[in-house]
Amino acid sequence: MIRIILNGCFGKMGKMVTQASYKFENLTIVAGIDVNTNTTSPYPVFNNIDECNIDADVILDFSRPAALPSLAKYCIKNNMPIVICTTGFDLEGENIISNLSKKVAVFRSANMSVGINVINNILKKISSYLYKGFDIEIIEKHHNQKIDAPSGTALMLANTIKSSIEEETIFSHGRVGECKRHKKEIGIHAIRGGNIVGEHDIIFAGQGEIIEIKHSAISREVFAIGALDACKFIHGKQNGLYNMDNIIDENISL
C-alpha cells in the first residue's frame, strides 16, 4: 500500500484527489496539509508539513508555489519522493525543483491529464514540419479564480512546439493595437471565466486549411486520477526528474 501525504488537501483539487483515491486499491491518503485544519477530513490534517508526524511514502502537492521550499526540505530529510502538480513557479522555484531532483525522485507535470500529455507528444512530432506553412496559436480557457496566466499547460505546449522548431521563434502573449502577425510568433492567449475546468486549443493556420488540436477537461477528476497514477509511478524510483512522458512511454508507443 502506497501512503500519500496530500499538500493542499482542502483546495478544489485536493478534495477531488481525496474522492478519487477511494477508487485505488493499492494507495491511501494518510495525512493532509492545509492552512485550514478545522474542516472534517477522513485523515489527520496539519497546518504545515513540518508538523506532520505520519509515516508516508510519497508527497502529492496541489497547492501554491510558496509551499515548495518547506516541502523540498521535508523530502530531503525523509528521503521521500514528491509529485508536484502546482504551477506558476518563478526562477527560484525552478531551481529548487532542479536541485531537489538530484536528491530524491521528483515527478512534475503542468497537467496531470493523460490526454493533454499525449497531445504534447504529438506536437513534438508535427510542429517542425507544420511550422513551414502554418501559423501557430494556442488558446487556453480556465475558470475565473485561476491565479496564473497563461496556464502552466499552455506554456508546456508552447515550449514543446518552440523546442521542436529549428528556427528562432518567440512567444506573443495576446495582441492589441497594430498587430500584424510575424512568422516567428507563437501566439498564446488566456481566457478566464465562469467555472471552465480547462480547455486548450492548438491552432495551425495555413493557406486554405486549418488544423486544430483541442483538449477539454470535463471534470477535475481527470487530473486527480493522473496525479494518483503519478504517485504509483514515482514510488520506489531513484532520484531524478520525471513527468507524464515517462508514464506514457511505458504504456503507449507514439
Side-chain angles (χ1 to χ4, degrees):
M1 181 68 72
I2 300 173
R3 301 165 297 175
I4 299 170
I5 297 174
L6 177 57
N7 190 52
C9 60
F10 291 142
K12 291 180 180 178
M13 277 308 309
K15 292 178 181 178
M16 182 60 73
V17 169
T18 298
Q19 294 177 21
S21 68
Y22 300 130
K23 299 181 179 181
F24 289 74
E25 296 181 354
N26 55 350
L27 59 77
T28 182
I29 299 173
V30 295
I33 310 298
D34 203 281
V35 293
N36 175 17
T37 57
N38 296 322
T39 302
T40 302
S41 171
Y43 44 76
V45 178
F46 302 88
N47 185 257
N48 61 72
I49 189 66
D50 295 324
E51 296 177 359
C52 182
N53 58 3
I54 307 295
D55 291 334
D57 302 301
V58 181
I59 293 178
L60 174 54
D61 176 38
F62 265 114
S63 61
R64 295 190 178 185
L68 180 62
S70 60
L71 293 176
K73 291 178 181 178
Y74 187 91
C75 288
I76 294 171
K77 179 181 177 180
N78 295 277
N79 192 30
M80 188 176 297
I82 184 171
V83 175
I84 300 175
C85 304
T86 301
T87 61
F89 292 105
D90 58 14
L91 180 59
E92 181 181 358
E94 296 290 344
N95 288 334
I96 291 175
I97 293 172
S98 177
N99 291 329
L100 179 60
S101 69
K102 298 174 183 177
K103 300 176 181 179
V104 301
V106 177
F107 188 104
R108 183 192 183 192
S109 180
N111 190 305
M112 300 305 298
S113 157
V114 171
I116 202 72
N117 283 279
V118 168
I119 288 175
N120 196 50
N121 271 270
I122 292 172
L123 292 175
K124 293 177 184 179
K125 298 182 180 298
I126 68 173
S127 296
S128 178
Y129 176 72
L130 291 180
Y131 176 73
K132 300 172 184 177
F134 293 78
D135 296 323
I136 306 173
E137 301 279 314
I138 298 171
I139 302 173
E140 59 98 342
K141 305 175 186 177
H142 284 88
H143 56 88
N144 57 22
Q145 297 301 301
K146 184 169 176 60
I147 296 173
D148 56 321
S151 69
T153 301
L155 291 175
M156 176 182 74
L157 299 172
N159 281 310
T160 292
I161 293 169
K162 183 178 178 68
S163 63
S164 301
I165 298 170
E166 293 184 1
E167 293 88 342
E168 178 187 1
T169 57
I170 59 172
F171 295 152
S172 177
H173 296 278
R175 297 184 177 86
V176 65
E178 294 186 11
C179 52
K180 182 178 179 181
R181 196 184 195 285
H182 297 284
K183 174 60 182 174
K184 64 181 181 180
E185 292 180 356
I186 298 174
I188 308 175
H189 312 276
I191 295 173
R192 298 289 177 268
N195 62 351
I196 302 172
V197 174
E199 294 184 10
H200 293 85
D201 193 4
I202 306 97
I203 302 171
F204 295 87
Q207 299 299 315
E209 60 180 336
I210 299 174
I211 300 171
E212 292 191 43
I213 303 174
K214 182 174 182 178
H215 180 271
S216 297
I218 307 302
S219 167
R220 289 185 176 87
E221 185 178 18
V222 67
F223 308 125
I225 296 295
L228 292 167
D229 281 336
C231 289
K232 291 194 300 180
F233 173 85
I234 202 71
H235 180 245
K237 290 290 191 298
Q238 297 294 320
N239 62 293
L241 188 59
Y242 303 85
N243 57 39
M244 288 295 290
D245 285 348
N246 298 113
I247 294 180
I248 291 172
D249 288 343
E250 283 189 352
N251 298 278
I252 302 175
S253 178
L254 289 174

